[in-house]
């Protein structure tokens, strides 16, 4: 499904409906990351604890991310979407989409992610080069991803080779 999403996104001038479509595609990516990332057991409070996809800052997904993960489970973990205004609000989270408004707090966010085994995802220029784990970027009317493997490994996460084949690997 991830390959189909990569190939199906088209964009031109940033009109509101296209921005919505862009974030619909990114919501599907976030869901798919749950299938291609492996977390250490201590990333979850209990074996059946929810896998939380968090959004830090303003929510660009609207209802699409909630609809995408509704009723889904990964390895016995029900998927849940939570929204956070500040880093201090986050109790448990496995994937954290970092909104572009949070750029001034990247260091604290990335330190938290490393200590708590949180996959950080963003769509701001230099996100992955500054320590974020996965960055969405547009290329040839498609959404692509860049992965910072050093940051992923530092957080003790494992990325499937299937996802790595689709990604551009960057160094911090």
């Amino acid at each position: 499904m991830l390959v189909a999403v990569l190939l199906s996104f088209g964009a031109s001038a940033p009109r509101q409906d296209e921005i919505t479509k862009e974030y619909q595609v990114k919501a599907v990516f976030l869901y798919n990351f749950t299938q291609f990332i492996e977390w250490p057991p201590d990333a979850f409070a209990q074996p059946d604890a929810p896998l939380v996809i968090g959004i830090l800052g303003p929510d660009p997904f609207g209802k699409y991310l909630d609809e995408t993960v509704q009723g889904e489970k990964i390895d016995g973990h029900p998927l849940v979407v939570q929204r956070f205004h500040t880093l201090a609000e986050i109790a448990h989270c496995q994937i954290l989409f970092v909104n572009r408004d949070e750029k001034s707090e990247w260091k604290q966010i990335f330190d938290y992610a490393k200590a708590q085994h949180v996959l950080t995802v963003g769509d701001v220029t230099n996100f992955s080069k500054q320590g974020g784990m996965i960055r969405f970027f547009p290329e040839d009317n498609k959404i692509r991803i860049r992965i910072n493997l050093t940051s992923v490994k530092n957080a003790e996460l494992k990325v499937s080779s299937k996802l790595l084949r689709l990604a551009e690997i960057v160094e911090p």
Side-chain angles (χ1 to χ4, degrees):
M1 181 168 182
L2 186 60
V3 176
V5 170
L6 279 170
L7 299 175
S8 67
F9 177 71
S12 54
R15 294 190 329 245
Q16 183 59 42
D17 60 336
E18 291 170 351
I19 291 170
T20 300
K21 183 176 180 182
E22 173 186 349
Y23 281 96
Q24 285 176 310
V25 170
K26 290 176 181 179
V28 173
F29 265 102
L30 289 174
Y31 166 71
N32 280 311
F33 292 157
T34 67
Q35 300 171 55
F36 295 105
I37 303 292
E38 184 180 323
W39 285 265
D42 63 339
F44 297 94
Q46 304 170 33
D48 60 347
L51 189 155
V52 177
I53 300 174
I55 302 165
L56 181 59
D59 179 359
F61 298 98
K63 62 185 177 182
Y64 300 109
L65 183 56
D66 297 279
E67 291 172 353
T68 301
V69 305
Q70 186 175 16
E72 296 291 336
K73 281 188 173 190
I74 299 295
D75 295 330
H77 301 284
L79 299 184
V80 175
V81 177
Q82 293 182 0
R83 289 151 181 91
F84 309 105
H85 294 96
T86 66
L87 185 60
E89 292 178 4
I90 303 171
H92 297 285
C93 184
Q94 283 70 39
I95 298 176
L96 183 63
F97 180 84
V98 180
N99 191 289
R100 62 186 69 241
D101 293 350
E102 307 304 315
K103 189 172 182 176
S104 65
E105 296 183 25
W106 278 358
K107 181 174 177 0
Q108 295 91 340
I109 293 166
F110 300 154
D111 287 347
Y112 167 82
K114 178 181 174 182
Q116 300 298 316
H117 316 293
V118 176
L119 179 75
T120 55
V121 182
D123 57 8
V124 180
T125 302
N126 290 325
F127 181 80
S128 52
K129 289 184 179 181
Q130 295 296 320
M133 296 177 200
I134 298 179
R135 177 186 171 225
F136 296 123
F137 69 98
E139 182 180 80
D140 299 328
N141 294 324
K142 295 174 182 69
I143 297 294
R144 304 282 188 195
I145 58 173
R146 288 192 174 113
I147 297 179
N148 178 330
L149 277 181
T150 301
S151 294
V152 170
K153 289 176 183 175
N154 287 341
E156 300 176 25
L157 304 175
K158 295 178 184 171
V159 181
S160 164
S161 61
K162 293 176 183 178
L163 184 59
L164 290 175
R165 282 192 294 256
L166 299 173
E168 178 181 309
I169 306 302
V170 296
E171 294 296 323

